[in-house]
Structure formats: structure tokens, C-alpha cells
Amino acid sequence: MLRADYRDKNRVVQILAASFDDNKSVNFIVKQDGCRAVRLRKLMEYSFELCHRYGAVWLSEDRNACALVLFPHLKKSFFHSLRLDLSLAVSVIGLSNLGKVIRRESAIKKLHPREPFYYLWFIGVSPEFQNKGLGTEMLKQVLREAEKEMLPVYLETSVPRNVAWYEKFGFSIYTKLDFGYELFCLQRTGE
């Protein structure tokens, strides 16, 4: 697993945009119009920027899988993140969808612990390489990094079949949220 840098940004965005194209949670955020594909890429660019600055962006050795981890306790730079958030609101969410997205993000953040934690925001594999163990290997390596820091890991998924996959790695559902689709909130507090 490699720590991605700005030279890898386009590849990471490409992997995530393809992996999350039909994801209910992502499409809840992305304005559904003729520019949806561009908006989806912009969401992944935003996510890369935040995680690169306040977390970690990981890429598999073969560059076909990636993971974006955010450390919310490190997100201190108000003006930089405000600029990114404003750009997200205008270019991805759309002003008409902003209220529902803010309510969703607020509901999720209320569930997160106050102490430091790993937030596994995205993990994705290029569609042509899925179901070959790349996602599993990426997740194992991310979890090893969290264990080194002795931090719990939190994530959400709107894909029911992914819940069992995460449970194999010690995650458990601590709550579910309803946004017109079911969002499973999972945590892994250590073994």
C-alpha cells in the first residue's frame, strides 16, 4: 500500500468515481442532473483534498484500489476547509439540495466519538479489478494503520451486502439512519 500524493489524484478520483457511480449515499449528495458525472468526480476531488490534508489517501501497489481516511480531530484549518466546502456546495450538491445534505452530515457527525478516530470515508476498487481481493487487502492494510495508532475506525455504507464484508474484519453496526435509503453506521473499536 502506498501513500498517495498529488500525482496520484486523478487515478484515485477515477477509481472512486467508477466505484461509487451507482451508490445511494453518494448520489444523495450529488445533484442529479445532466452534469452528474462531472459532479461525482468533483465530490471525489473534494474528498481527496480533505483526506490528503487531514488524513491519508492510500493506493494499492498496482494502483487499482484506494482508500480515503479522514482524521476529523486534525481538521483545524477553518478557511481552507470552508473554501473547499463552499466549492462542494456549489459544484456538487447544488443549492437546492444543500439543506438535506447538511442535515444528513449533521446526523452522521453527531454519532461519531469526540476522541480521535479513523474515519474510513471511501474504499474503492476499479470495477474491472473487483472481486479479486484488492479491496480486502486494502482494508486489512488500513486497519493495520489504525491499529498502530490505537484508534477505532468508523464508516458508513448504504450497500447492504457490504455490511457482512465489514463484519468479517471486526466491524459492527452501531446504528442505522434513514434518508430515503438505509445508511449503516459501523465501528471497529479494536480486537
Side-chain angles (χ1 to χ4, degrees):
M1 181 168 78
L2 312 166
R3 191 144 192 161
D5 61 29
Y6 278 103
R7 292 171 297 188
D8 303 307
K9 181 178 178 179
N10 190 51
R11 181 61 182 147
V12 169
V13 168
Q14 182 182 31
I15 292 168
L16 294 176
S19 298
F20 287 86
D21 184 52
D22 63 353
N23 183 278
K24 291 177 185 175
S25 183
V26 166
N27 282 301
F28 182 86
I29 293 170
V30 175
K31 184 175 180 180
Q32 303 296 299
D33 62 8
C35 298
R36 189 188 72 78
V38 172
R39 294 178 192 282
L40 176 59
R41 284 191 59 86
K42 287 186 179 287
L43 172 62
M44 297 312 172
E45 289 170 1
Y46 166 86
S47 303
F48 179 95
E49 289 292 333
L50 274 187
C51 292
H52 188 267
R53 189 172 191 77
Y54 307 112
V57 179
W58 300 106
L59 198 54
S60 63
E61 298 278 341
D62 66 2
R63 290 178 158 64
N64 290 312
C66 65
L68 273 62
V69 176
L70 185 64
F71 306 135
H73 62 282
L74 297 180
K75 192 178 170 191
K76 306 261 192 249
S77 175
F78 175 75
F79 291 109
H80 182 264
S81 61
L82 178 63
R83 181 180 58 80
L84 287 173
D85 291 346
L86 287 174
S87 175
L88 179 75
V90 173
S91 65
V92 175
I93 298 169
L95 297 178
S96 61
N97 295 328
L98 192 56
K100 75 175 189 173
V101 172
I102 289 172
R103 284 188 295 279
R104 174 187 177 267
E105 294 306 303
S106 177
I108 292 169
K109 286 180 182 174
K110 283 181 188 174
L111 298 172
H112 289 164
R114 296 204 187 282
E115 67 271 357
F117 66 98
Y118 260 54
Y119 182 56
L120 181 53
W121 198 358
F122 289 106
I123 184 166
V125 176
S126 291
E128 64 271 22
F129 294 97
Q130 289 177 359
N131 301 310
K132 296 181 181 183
L134 286 176
T136 294
E137 187 56 35
M138 178 64 62
L139 182 58
K140 285 179 181 178
Q141 291 182 38
V142 167
L143 294 177
R144 279 195 287 272
E145 292 296 318
E147 288 168 359
K148 285 181 196 174
E149 300 293 325
M150 297 184 302
L151 292 174
V153 183
Y154 285 74
L155 64 88
E156 295 87 35
T157 184
S158 60
V159 182
R161 72 178 180 276
N162 286 352
V163 172
W165 182 67
Y166 286 119
E167 288 175 335
K168 284 194 268 184
F169 297 97
F171 285 91
S172 60
I173 296 172
Y174 66 93
T175 196
K176 298 175 193 173
L177 298 171
D178 183 359
F179 298 108
Y181 65 91
E182 196 166 37
L183 188 66
F184 301 89
C185 302
L186 293 102
Q187 65 183 357
R188 183 179 189 267
T189 55
E191 297 178 29

